[in-house]
Amino acid sequence: MKYVTIMDIPFLHITQQGFVELLEQRIKQQEKTFVVTANPEVVMKANEDQHIMNYIKKATYVTADGIGVVKAAQILGDSLPERVTGFDTMVKLLERGNQLHYKIYLLGAQNEVLQKAIQKINQDYPNIDIVGHQDGFFDWTKNDIAQQIKETKPDLIFVALGVPRQEKWISENLDQFSHGVFIGVGGSFDALTGTVKRAPVIFQKLNLEWFYRLIKQPSRWKRMLALPLFALKVFKLKATGQRGSK
């Protein structure tokens, strides 16, 4: 497999469809897998916080969830084929899971959103077996989530706790399991249920989803500051010939 390193994070060189096929194969072979989908904000957080970097480094695969990462790779001279997002990966896996009768576990989001996600999946993907679920509001040090997963043995575990909590939870609990694809999907339950609208197709095609989210949620402006800082860091790396290393 080929990887492209950007600020010490190794991104898998793969297409969205190729990644879904890879995960499908790993499920078939019962290979335990930890997936991180990282956008520029995640990359910047990891470079500012060694704990977050350690969580990400424990992942089996890191994909480019954001056009900024794809553009950065191109600028640094080692391109990635396209974005591989958490939401699109989740939806494609649900489609394949409906055909192959996957078992899944849902972890995260507000309880109301989680219940809507369960209803949506049961309606649109009736052959999927939701073997367990837990909203994102639980006692971190005292819960039976890992035990539920060990007992029910899901093929897919979608963790929607947001960065870095979802990566922290997977990283801290991964050794307890023998198989399963664990993937951090951020706010994907909200998008799946329509609680938060995804950017219209025209914004997606123009790679302006970040701008649409900023328009809809102006309070995100502080988080969006990571984008220009990320771009400046990339151009600095380019100028010094470091090709994505820290």
Side-chain angles (χ1 to χ4, degrees):
M1 294 217 169
K2 181 180 178 182
Y3 296 87
V4 175
T5 299
I6 299 173
M7 300 186 200
D8 274 1
I9 296 178
F11 288 90
L12 184 62
H13 186 282
I14 200 167
T15 63
Q16 179 71 72
Q17 183 58 37
F19 189 56
V20 172
E21 291 172 359
L22 172 62
L23 294 183
E24 183 182 333
Q25 187 64 26
R26 292 190 61 95
I27 291 171
K28 183 178 180 180
Q29 296 174 349
Q30 295 197 329
E31 295 181 279
K32 185 168 58 178
T33 307
F34 172 15
V35 176
V36 171
T37 60
N39 59 21
E41 183 183 357
V42 174
V43 175
M44 293 300 291
K45 283 183 177 180
N47 274 259
E48 294 164 0
D49 187 327
Q50 189 59 47
H51 290 98
I52 298 176
M53 181 66 80
N54 290 340
Y55 303 147
I56 293 174
K57 287 292 183 72
K58 195 171 180 178
T60 314
Y61 305 118
V62 183
T63 69
D65 189 343
I67 192 61
V69 175
V70 176
K71 293 294 186 183
Q74 185 177 19
I75 290 168
L76 294 170
D78 200 356
S79 63
L80 291 162
E82 62 180 348
R83 295 191 309 162
V84 179
T85 72
F87 179 76
D88 290 327
T89 300
M90 183 181 76
V91 171
K92 293 293 185 183
L93 287 171
L94 288 173
E95 291 172 357
R96 291 298 290 149
N98 192 50
Q99 297 171 15
L100 298 171
H101 299 267
Y102 284 166
K103 296 192 297 182
I104 70 171
Y105 188 98
L106 305 177
L107 173 59
Q110 296 181 3
N111 188 59
E112 181 182 355
V113 173
L114 178 62
Q115 295 303 321
K116 288 181 179 179
I118 292 169
Q119 183 178 7
K120 175 75 171 175
I121 292 169
N122 284 333
Q123 176 184 311
D124 293 354
Y125 311 99
N127 294 321
I128 283 180
D129 183 8
I130 301 176
V131 297
H133 55 83
Q134 167 64 52
D135 65 40
F137 300 87
F138 56 88
D139 186 330
W140 195 274
T141 60
K142 188 178 180 180
N143 63 77
D144 64 349
I145 298 169
Q147 186 60 36
Q148 289 179 41
I149 293 172
K150 283 190 284 187
E151 290 176 357
T152 55
K153 300 179 180 179
D155 302 295
L156 289 163
I157 302 88
F158 295 116
V159 186
L161 297 174
V163 178
R165 290 183 74 231
Q166 60 197 22
E167 289 74 23
K168 174 179 169 64
W169 190 90
I170 298 172
S171 179
E172 290 181 352
N173 290 277
L174 192 63
D175 291 342
Q176 300 184 53
F177 311 112
S178 60
H179 78 284
V181 171
F182 295 75
I183 175 171
V185 294
S188 292
F189 293 175
D190 297 88
L192 182 69
T193 59
T195 304
V196 174
K197 299 292 184 183
R198 198 177 185 195
V201 174
I202 184 63
F203 281 83
Q204 295 179 40
K205 289 184 176 179
L206 292 172
N207 297 316
L208 290 173
E209 284 183 276
W210 63 271
F211 184 63
Y212 177 82
R213 289 195 297 270
L214 182 58
I215 293 172
K216 300 299 286 186
Q217 297 176 282
S219 61
R220 295 173 62 98
W221 71 269
K222 287 186 178 180
R223 291 178 58 183
M224 292 296 181
L225 288 176
L227 297 176
L229 293 174
F230 175 77
L232 287 171
K233 181 74 171 179
V234 169
F235 283 113
K236 181 179 178 181
L237 290 170
K238 174 67 173 179
T240 56
Q242 294 182 56
R243 295 176 57 84
S245 61
K246 194 171 181 182

